[in-house]
Structures are given as structure tokens and as C-alpha cells.
Amino acid sequence: MAVDSVLSSPLGPPACEKDAKALQLIEELTRNADAVQERVLAEILSRNAETEYLRRYRLDGATDRGTFKSKLPTVTYEDLQPEIQRIANGDRSAILSAHPISEFLTSSGTSAGERKLMPTIQEELDRRQLLYSFLMPVMNLYVPGLDKGKGLYFLFVKSETRTPGGLLARPVLTSYYKSDHFKTRPYDPYTVYTSPNEAILCSDSYQSMYTQMLCGLVERAQVLRLGAVFASGLLRAIRFLQLNWQQLAEDIRTGWLNPKVADPAVRSCICRILKPDSALAEFIAKECSQDNWEGIITRIWPNTKYLDVIVTGAMAQYIPTLDYYSGGLPLACTMYASSECYFGLNLNPMCKPSEVSYTIMPNMAYFEFLPHEPNSIELTRDSPPKLVDLVDVEVGKEYELVITTYAGLCRYRVGDILRVTGFHNSAPQFHFVKRKNVLLSIDSDKTDEAELQKAIENASQLLREFNTSVVEYTSYADTKTIPGHYVIYWELLTKDLANSPSGDALSKCCLAMEESMNTVYRQCRVADNSIGPLEIRVVKSGTFEELMDYAISRGASINQYKVPRCVSYKPIMELLDSRVVSSHLSPAQPHWTPERRRARRGGDSSPVEGKEELLEKLEAEEAEQEDREIAAPEEEAEASDEEALLVAAEAPPAASRPRGHARDVHILSCGFLLIFSAYGAAQNLESTLNTMSFPSRFRWNFG
């Protein structure tokens, strides 16, 4: 029930007193955005004044904007990599931050093929917690009654490793799921979930997915919202249900848990929940055995009010499929954040995906914005950019986001391109446009043109024995399959038609390309099962000339035409597919381990391998695969359900929608809504907002 009090917010009537205080704080922060930003910068520069990095630029203790902007350059990850590597190797001196680096958060972006390591400090958790505590108060403005049921969210831990100096390096959500803040979070009726901690924390992806789905089915009548971090993750869960509904129904009918779920903690937890229910088992079998899965989400979970998933950026390509499976349920995007920093939230989370805008919260970091002009010359240290402050951006213009954080990143270029859509009070609101330079993306992967080019060069070495070369290529991210996969179109030049590349050779080219991809792609393929096997489609000779003719007929200049390295426009896709003469899929998974490669001295950490090395690696992997199949046929049969997730199953037909905004930012909205709103809303708001007494780093004076 809405609260009628002096704390009523301009955003709308709050659901309870606690929500009212959270919404009031949002109003105060956004009304005084420039003053908050000035305070944030002064705090960061003051506390980090004696760090090696700031002393290098001779700030001499200055904390004002003018000195900061005149002396510190904008930087990229590559600029900071030497300092980050020293920290990773065990140097505990104050290099970037005066506070000890507690761990590294691994970014989905990569450098030299490896995940970027983003340093963080312990107190960042408090800052994030405050932001997460805003999410449910805002959502409650639009969706009443969320305290009357549960959320079914599919959440997973990913692999972690340690740097040579002993610091943990892991994704931000894995870091939180494994913390006491998540595992011992206080009860909050607005953030109760069907998945028990034991299922979420299980490192085996099959067992984790199986038990989370099982719990969601058992408690189907209580589910009010479904979610995953990315839209692709929720679709994988639906695909999992398609493949495993019979066993799930059998478990529910008998009350006995599938023996494939072998993790002791998970079994113990689920066996306490699972009871025989023949009526529910019959219902699930009846619904899931139908050929038509349109609206399956609302058929099985009829009280669902919305889907909580990221559908901005590259994830927009999944909207038609989500609409098909959900019957058109609202899609909520709640928060904008990354491994580097947490930025803001969507104050209208139930808007259409195309209208999603995030309001930057000025207390998270110091924000600057580099005007984005796609055709401009790349900036250098000799031609410093003119950056715009948070409150001075202009509606309709695009900017690249630049941040200065409490953890020690100074004027760091995040790589996100944002368009200003408006203001809430004096805080700007941004639509995420794209991830800079990203060409292909299915899940959390980001492949740029240089990486794709390198992969094609490596794979094409296998064609030399056939006296064949790749004369042109393009690509697209195929999301009609679950999971999605990369499709590469090749036009080949074969000088001896009697010695054309065999199908086996072209399949090996697919695997060679995958071996050349960055570690995030390979993790998604091998560990997360979130990307399917790469596909090469060979097209007829002259196809790319036809592509140029089509572009020129549409107004392109013949003098400036360049072959697009990624396509999504339907007529072009149809032209390419109509010229395909053969298709080939990667025959095995690429190599991947959680361990980071050691950088090679004086050069690239990922040199191009020669043909002999590639062939040896491919043959060794094939032999290893054969050995596994021969040695453990029973294990293969037992694992068939999990491996089936990699099958490129055709998604259902759906209404045509714009696809292919560039790479989704590391927005972790629904995961953050889950993991912190319980802890943040119940603990931070209960104890902190009720007294309105914030720690000094969050206390703002607006007089």
C-alpha cells in the first residue's frame, strides 16, 4: 500500500516508509548532481593524493577540477596495464589507490585476448549496496504486490583464479554470490527467490541449472517475476526446460531427485524442498509435450508480471524470441553497471526496451564525457580531448563515458557510447548506444574487428595445402539458435579445383578460428555453454561483388565502399544466404582454462601460430576427444542433456524487430537487483535510511 507522508516522492507514491526515504535520497542526489560530483572528485583526489599514480602527474594535493583536468590525461586499460600487472604480481604499495586492493573484478572486455583485471577496494561494496537499495523502491512504483510472491532467477557462479600475487580475480557477480553479504543476507519480503543459495553456488552448470529450474517449477504458483542477467541466459533456461522437462516432471512425480545432481550440499537442500506431486508433474508434462511453446512462460508461471533481463545493446536481438516465449510480458531493465564502476539506474524500469534510459547517480564516481564523433581522428596525448562534466552534457548528443573511481582509475575511458535522452532534475539520463569497436556478441563475449581478422588469418593457414585463400569475408551473430553462435561468410579463391578444401578441412578452420578468439569467447563456449559452435558458410565466387553492387544501388559511394565485417540488415543476409554453397561447424570445443596466460616478454601474449602448430593442436584435441569417448561412453550418455544445450536448435518464428545494436554494456541489472536489493534494501535502508545518517563518504550537504 502506498505511503501518504511528508516523504512522498516526485517519482510517485512509495510502497512503504522505507521506500519513501530511498526515493527522497534519489531526489536529493539528482537535484544537486554538480555539487555531489565536486565532492566526489575532491574525496577521491584527497584520499589518493600520495599514490604513485597521482604523484607522477604532480597534483601536489590539489583537489579542484581545474588542476585535475589540466594535469591528468585520459587513459585506456592498455595505458594502466603495467600498474595493474604490478598489483597482480603482488606489489602492495599505493600504486593506484591508497586503500588496499581487495581483489580484481574480471571484465567481459579483453586486452591481448585475456579478460581485463579491474582493481577494487573493500568499501566499494558499501557504495554499490547503496545504489542497489534504490532498485526495489523504484520497481515498486510500477509493479505493486511484489512482496506477495517470489522471483525465479537463473544465477550462476563462474570460474575464478588467483593472480601471481595471490589476489582473487573473478566476475563481479561471482564475487558477490560467494560473499557473506549474499549468503547471509537478511530477509526482505520484496526479494525472496525460488533458487536456494546452494543451487546458485554450485560450480557445475548442469546441476545448478537443473535444481534452479526444479525449484521454480515446484513453486510455480508463487513466481511473480522471471529473470537472468542477460536475455540470452533466460533463453538458455527455456531451452534447458525443453530438453529436460521429462526428467524434471519425473522428479516432481516421485519426490526423488535426479541422481545426476550429485553435489552433496545441493542434494541435501533440494531433498528438503522436493515432495511427491503427481498433479504438478502431469501439468508440466502436458504443457511441455506440446509442439507449440508460444507463451510457455505464462502457461507454466501464470502469475508472472514481468521479465527482469538486460535487453539493451546487443541483447536487443533476443527481444522477439522473449516475446514469443512470454506472450509479450514487459521486459524490465533496471540498472547500468560494469566491472569498472556502477553508474546508475532506470527510473522507469517498465518502459519499452527501445526507450530505456539510465539516470547517472552522481555519488558513484566522478563522471566525464568525451563527445563521440565516429569520423573524427583518434585522440592522442598530444591532442588531449575536451571532456564535458556530468551536468553539462547536451540532449541528443552522443558521448564516450570517462570515469574516475575511488578504487584508483583516473579519467579512464570505459568504451561505452551513450546518447543523452533527457534529465531527471540536474542528473542526465542516457540511452546505451553501443560498446565501442565491438563487432560480434552473443552473450558476455565481445569480439572486435582486429580479433576477427586475426582469427581468420590463423584459420586460413590451414587452406594453404589446398592452394586456397580467403578473398573476402563478413560475419553476423546468429541468435535464431539457442545458444546463439558466430556465422562467418567466406568467399574462397581456389587455384586448383581438383584439390579444393574438404569439408573436414573447413570444419577444422572453424575450430582454428575459435582457438584464436579471446578468453571470454572460449569460456562462453566451453564452461558456460552460452555460445554454440562457430559456423563458416562458403559463398559462391563473386558474392561480395554483388554485395557491393547492392550497396551502391542504395546510395553508397563506389570510391568509399568497404566490405562490412559484420552484417545484420535482412536483405543483405538474404543475399548472402542465397549464395551459400556449403556450411561447416566447429567439430569440437576450443581450449579454455580459468588460468590466465603469462605475458610473453617484449611482445604480444597471443602470437599467431604457424600452420604446423595449429594442426598439431587440433589433432591433439581430436585425439583427446576420441579418448574421452572411448574411455567413458556411459559418462557421455549421462552428460547428454547438458551437452544438448550446445545444439543449435531453431528458435521459434517471431515478429521482426531491429536487431544488432552493438555490444551490450556490462549492465548487470537483474543480477544486481537480486543480490543486493535483499541486502541493500533490508539492511542499508532499514538501518541507514531510517535514520538518514550515512557514512561520511555518502553524506552530502546541500546548503
Side-chain angles (χ1 to χ4, degrees), residues 135 179 217 232 253 262 278 368 374 392 523 621 682:
L135 299 181
S179 74
L217 293 172
S232 56
R253 185 184 68 80
S278 57
E368 296 177 275
D392 295 328
Q523 179 177 348
E621 288 175 352

Side-chain angles (χ1 to χ4, degrees), residues 277-564:
D277 190 336
S278 57
L280 176 58
E282 184 178 346
F283 169 79
I284 292 169
K286 176 177 177 293
E287 291 296 333
C288 294
S289 61
Q290 298 180 34
D291 292 334
N292 182 8
W293 272 51
E294 184 174 4
I296 192 67
I297 290 175
T298 49
R299 281 155 49 189
I300 292 182
W301 296 282
N303 298 317
T304 305
K305 298 186 177 185
Y306 64 91
L307 304 183
D308 192 349
V309 289
I310 296 163
V311 289
T312 53
M315 291 296 117
Q317 59 195 332
Y318 296 105
I319 291 173
T321 311
L322 285 173
D323 286 346
Y324 177 88
Y325 284 127
S326 73
L329 282 174
L331 304 172
C333 294
T334 58
M335 187 173 168
Y336 173 31
S338 75
S339 301
E340 296 93 334
C341 180
Y342 298 73
F343 309 119
L345 65 158
N346 183 2
L347 295 179
N348 183 13
M350 301 303 284
C351 66
K352 295 178 181 178
S354 60
E355 298 173 356
V356 169
S357 291
Y358 299 100
T359 303
I360 299 294
M361 290 291 108
N363 56 330
M364 292 295 103
Y366 183 69
F367 300 104
E368 296 177 275
F369 298 87
L370 176 62
H372 177 60
E373 299 172 3
N375 298 320
S376 64
I377 299 173
E378 182 64 23
L379 297 163
T380 67
R381 294 200 178 194
D382 296 326
S383 59
K386 293 182 179 179
L387 272 63
V388 179
D389 284 331
L390 180 68
V391 300
D392 295 328
V393 295
E394 298 180 41
V395 173
K397 290 192 175 181
E398 293 184 1
Y399 299 88
E400 181 182 349
L401 181 59
V402 179
I403 59 173
T404 297
T405 70
Y406 286 88
L409 298 178
C410 287
R411 309 197 89 185
Y412 178 85
R413 295 176 66 171
V414 175
D416 294 347
I417 306 301
L418 311 175
R419 181 185 303 115
V420 186
T421 58
F423 284 79
H424 181 75
N425 295 323
S426 61
Q429 297 175 308
F430 292 93
H431 174 73
F432 179 81
V433 177
K434 64 179 180 178
R435 178 73 179 168
K436 190 176 181 182
N437 299 328
V438 170
L439 202 66
L440 291 169
S441 178
I442 295 291
D443 192 64
S444 59
D445 54 303
K446 299 180 179 72
T447 299
D448 63 27
E449 186 171 339
E451 289 175 316
L452 182 61
Q453 176 68 32
K454 182 189 74 173
I456 287 175
E457 289 173 357
N458 284 1
S460 63
Q461 293 182 49
L462 302 180
L463 300 176
R464 289 179 181 175
E465 66 178 281
F466 302 99
N467 206 8
T468 296
S469 60
V470 179
V471 293
E472 272 301 356
Y473 71 90
T474 189
S475 64
Y476 88 101
D478 185 358
T479 57
K480 293 179 182 178
T481 61
I482 302 175
H485 69 295
Y486 288 8
V487 174
I488 315 299
Y489 293 96
W490 274 7
E491 184 174 322
L492 301 179
L493 174 62
T494 301
K495 296 182 180 178
D496 181 5
L497 294 179
N499 187 34
S500 297
S502 63
D504 181 63
L506 289 166
S507 294
K508 287 182 177 179
C509 287
C510 296
L511 182 55
M513 285 194 66
E514 293 198 297
E515 292 286 3
S516 303
M517 295 295 184
N518 63 57
T519 187
V520 178
Y521 174 91
R522 288 181 283 116
Q523 179 177 348
C524 288
R525 274 281 283 126
V526 176
D528 302 340
N529 293 340
S530 58
I531 298 179
L534 182 143
E535 179 182 2
I536 290 176
R537 296 179 185 173
V538 179
V539 297
K540 294 178 181 177
S541 177
T543 295
F544 281 84
E545 285 190 20
E546 292 184 58
L547 194 64
M548 181 180 70
D549 291 341
Y550 177 82
I552 292 172
S553 73
R554 301 277 296 177
S557 167
I558 191 170
N559 294 320
Q560 296 178 325
Y561 175 79
K562 294 180 181 178
V563 174

Side-chain angles (χ1 to χ4, degrees), residues 51 113 119 123 132 188 211 259 265 329 361 394 477 488:
T51 60
E123 75 162 46
Y132 305 144
D188 186 314
T211 51
L329 282 174
M361 290 291 108
E394 298 180 41
I488 315 299

